[in-house]
Amino acid sequence: MNKIMMNTPLVEMDGDEMTRILWKWIKDDLLEPFVELKTEYYDLGLENRNATNDEVTKLSAEATKKYGVAVKCATITPNAARMTEYTLKEMWKSPNGTIRAILDGTVFRAPIIVKGVEPYVANWKKPITIARHAYGDVYKASELRIPNAGKAELVFTSEDGSETRELIHNFKGAGVLQGMHNLDGSIQSFARSCFNFALDTKQDLWFATKDTISKKYDHTFKDIFQEIFDKDYADKFKAAGIEYFYTLIDDAVARVVRSEGGFIWACKNYDGDVMSDMVATAFGSLSMMTSVLVSPEGNYEYEAAHGTVQRHYYKHLKGEKTSTNPIATIFAWSGALRKRGEIDSNRELMEFADKLEAACIKTIEDGQMTNDLAIISSLKEKTVLNSEDFIKAIRVNLEKML
Ligand code: NAP
Ligand code: MG
């Protein structure tokens, strides 16, 4: 069989621990035998981030802006324990945070659905994708503990020195106070990323805030979304046969639970934090959750939603076989290859991505799976495989499909 050729390189961001091991196995067994892989390789493993003073992370994000599509392995975000474990020069920042700051994007997370791993919500038939705004609100807030009676005000001092004041509360005794913000620019980017992703994936977009209570703050989110939609997206949505739908957050929660899925739910930062864990858990497993960062200019960075699976890596280092689930990492590759194929009009590459995903799903639905899935799968006949054997089983199915 002739290998599938690629026109443009993918930005490949290698990572850490167990996912770095899986990364190599996936490439060796599922990609390189079939595709003449063209990648621009960046080693985001913690050792190399430390050696390059984290320059490699920035370069990889810049490369993503140049080529448009990246695939990323999970990486360690250093903490105190990692400082000694890797003898770090500094406690380098989260690579995901650095990449997000450079690409200015929105993170979309969607579950991979397989028979046997049924969502806890019985009527959910299709994935629900959560789009979380990743800037501001309570994550960049200032807070005060108020010790006694007194007056609290919001004060904005303009560049020209003029002041605008708004009473928050006349405290009669002790209490708490919080000040938070967001930026029109960031909300606009969030909105555009969501509209673009909805068009890309041909799914309806839902957005919800509490604008009836928060008449300026949340209302601004609602207005910005609506303005951008009316101006730049209404016609495109109509042509694609999809809808943009705004409602109140509490109404959205009720509708989401009653729905059959198959849409994107755009959430403000805090709502996205809370709801993505709820949706991920309700769909079954974090190891079956994909994640893609989409920038407002239309650059894409695909990854798995889980971390480097440290506990499994230490077993691997001791020579033990682990049953770490590679599915979300494989889907990061298939997502990136499909998007690359789409941009380059490379039909073969897009079809390969579809078949790779289909082979993964067939393998699991035929009863061959890693331990994390076996625990929750309702299939009667199932075989627990270690990661290597599971990847080999996927390869057998993939070869039949190609
Ligand atoms: P984790 O890697 O997501 O793993 C937590 C636990 O979840 C594992 O111990 C395992 O449970 C289970 N698990 C997660 N993914 C799995 C998979 N693919 N297959 C089977 N089981 C899986 O989180 P962590 O151990 O808290 O974090 C490890 C490192 O990852 C940290 O240094 C953190 O900074 C980093 N991290 C990176 C990213 C990213 O790059 N996007 C995201 C999150 C965390 P059992 O042990 O019970 O089997
Ligand atoms: Mg959270």
Side-chain angles (χ1 to χ4, degrees):
M1 197 194 83
N2 286 336
K3 283 201 201 179
I4 298 162
M5 302 304 286
M6 292 177 63
N7 322 46
T8 320
L10 269 184
V11 179
E12 176 183 353
M13 305 170 173
D14 208 344
D16 288 300
E17 299 196 310
M18 202 59 216
T19 40
R20 188 180 179 100
I21 307 291
L22 294 176
W23 196 258
K24 178 158 190 321
W25 291 342
I26 291 167
K27 284 177 70 178
D28 287 351
D29 270 332
L30 298 177
L31 303 174
E32 280 173 333
F34 312 105
V35 179
E36 194 63 53
L37 263 194
K38 217 183 200 183
T39 73
E40 194 164 294
Y41 179 85
Y42 292 86
D43 183 0
L44 266 56
L46 187 50
E47 275 170 35
N48 193 47
R49 274 183 276 148
N50 193 49
T52 62
N53 296 328
D54 209 21
E55 275 306 305
V56 66
T57 308
K58 289 169 201 150
L59 290 174
S60 73
E62 293 301 339
T64 307
K65 282 185 148 175
K66 178 173 165 197
Y67 293 113
V69 188
V71 56
K72 181 179 170 292
C73 181
T75 46
I76 293 169
T77 298
N79 56 15
R82 302 294 198 171
M83 294 292 288
T84 39
E85 186 183 354
Y86 286 84
T87 357
L88 299 180
K89 295 186 240 176
E90 262 181 54
M91 202 185 283
W92 306 109
K93 286 192 188 146
S94 147
N96 288 39
T98 303
I99 294 165
R100 209 178 298 147
I102 294 172
L103 294 181
D104 177 27
T106 300
V107 176
F108 296 84
R109 290 192 162 184
I112 300 157
I113 295 186
V114 290
K115 278 194 210 82
V117 182
E118 316 296 347
Y120 290 98
V121 180
N123 45 285
W124 285 0
K125 304 282 182 254
K126 298 179 214 161
I128 294 169
T129 303
I130 298 263
R132 175 181 169 190
H133 186 210
Y135 179 84
D137 302 347
V138 73
Y139 301 86
K140 275 203 179 291
S142 305
E143 302 191 329
L144 275 183
R145 182 85 176 91
I146 303 291
N148 46 255
K151 181 165 81 169
E153 285 179 300
L154 279 178
V155 182
F156 171 71
T157 313
S158 175
E159 269 180 336
D160 65 14
S162 62
E163 278 185 3
T164 316
R165 283 169 183 269
E166 180 75 31
L167 176 71
I168 298 172
H169 192 65
N170 272 313
F171 283 87
K172 304 276 182 284
V176 283
L177 197 60
Q178 182 182 66
M180 61 184 193
H181 79 282
N182 221 300
L183 308 169
D184 281 17
S186 178
I187 303 166
Q188 286 156 0
S189 294
F190 174 42
R192 286 188 188 281
S193 298
C194 290
F195 292 133
N196 287 338
F197 198 73
L199 284 170
D200 258 13
T201 58
K202 301 242 177 331
Q203 297 183 91
D204 290 348
L205 176 69
W206 296 15
F207 182 44
T209 71
K210 195 71 184 174
D211 65 284
T212 45
I213 301 298
S214 173
K215 289 187 170 28
K216 293 207 173 109
Y217 201 104
D218 279 16
H219 216 290
T220 299
F221 278 78
K222 178 184 177 181
D223 291 345
I224 287 178
F225 265 68
Q226 196 63 50
E227 274 162 32
I228 292 180
F229 179 74
D230 292 343
K231 185 163 154 282
D232 291 334
Y233 290 94
D235 294 343
K236 292 181 191 154
F237 269 52
K238 203 167 183 191
I242 57 173
E243 274 184 14
Y244 168 58
F245 167 64
Y246 178 88
T247 186
L248 283 170
I249 184 76
D250 36 354
D251 179 49
V253 170
R255 284 174 187 258
V256 164
V257 172
R258 286 197 307 263
S259 79
E260 62 164 33
F263 55 88
I264 301 160
W265 183 10
C267 292
K268 285 178 63 201
N269 211 347
Y270 173 81
D271 298 338
D273 188 351
V274 178
M275 293 306 166
S276 64
D277 277 24
M278 192 271 286
V279 168
T281 309
F283 268 107
S285 170
L286 187 63
S287 60
M288 296 291 279
M289 184 65 71
T290 62
S291 184
V292 55
L293 173 70
V294 182
S295 84
E297 290 92 41
N299 299 311
Y300 294 76
E301 184 243 293
Y302 292 84
E303 62 176 330
H306 61 75
T308 60
V309 211
Q310 182 180 20
R311 198 182 68 80
H312 294 209
Y313 180 58
Y314 291 155
K315 282 175 76 178
H316 170 82
L317 288 181
K318 283 195 253 162
E320 290 173 42
K321 299 260 185 214
T322 72
S323 188
T324 320
N325 189 341
I327 292 290
T329 305
I330 298 172
F331 272 62
W333 274 99
S334 57
L337 289 170
R338 185 187 295 104
K339 179 53 74 180
R340 190 68 273 166
E342 210 179 291
I343 296 173
D344 296 349
S345 307
N346 185 341
R347 175 160 296 281
E348 268 192 303
L349 195 59
M350 290 167 72
E351 282 171 5
F352 173 78
D354 291 344
K355 285 175 183 164
L356 176 56
E357 292 180 358
C360 288
I361 289 170
K362 176 163 173 41
T363 307
I364 298 168
E365 294 187 343
D366 285 351
Q368 295 178 291
M369 60 192 82
T370 45
N371 189 51
D372 57 308
L373 292 181
I375 293 169
I376 53 174
S377 171
S378 62
L379 293 186
K380 294 227 165 53
E381 310 241 329
K382 48 195 170 187
T383 317
V384 177
L385 299 179
N386 63 49
S387 302
E388 281 169 286
D389 291 343
F390 181 54
I391 289 172
K392 291 208 164 65
I394 295 170
R395 178 166 175 172
V396 170
N397 281 322
L398 178 60
E399 280 177 348
K400 282 186 207 151
M401 289 176 184
L402 287 172

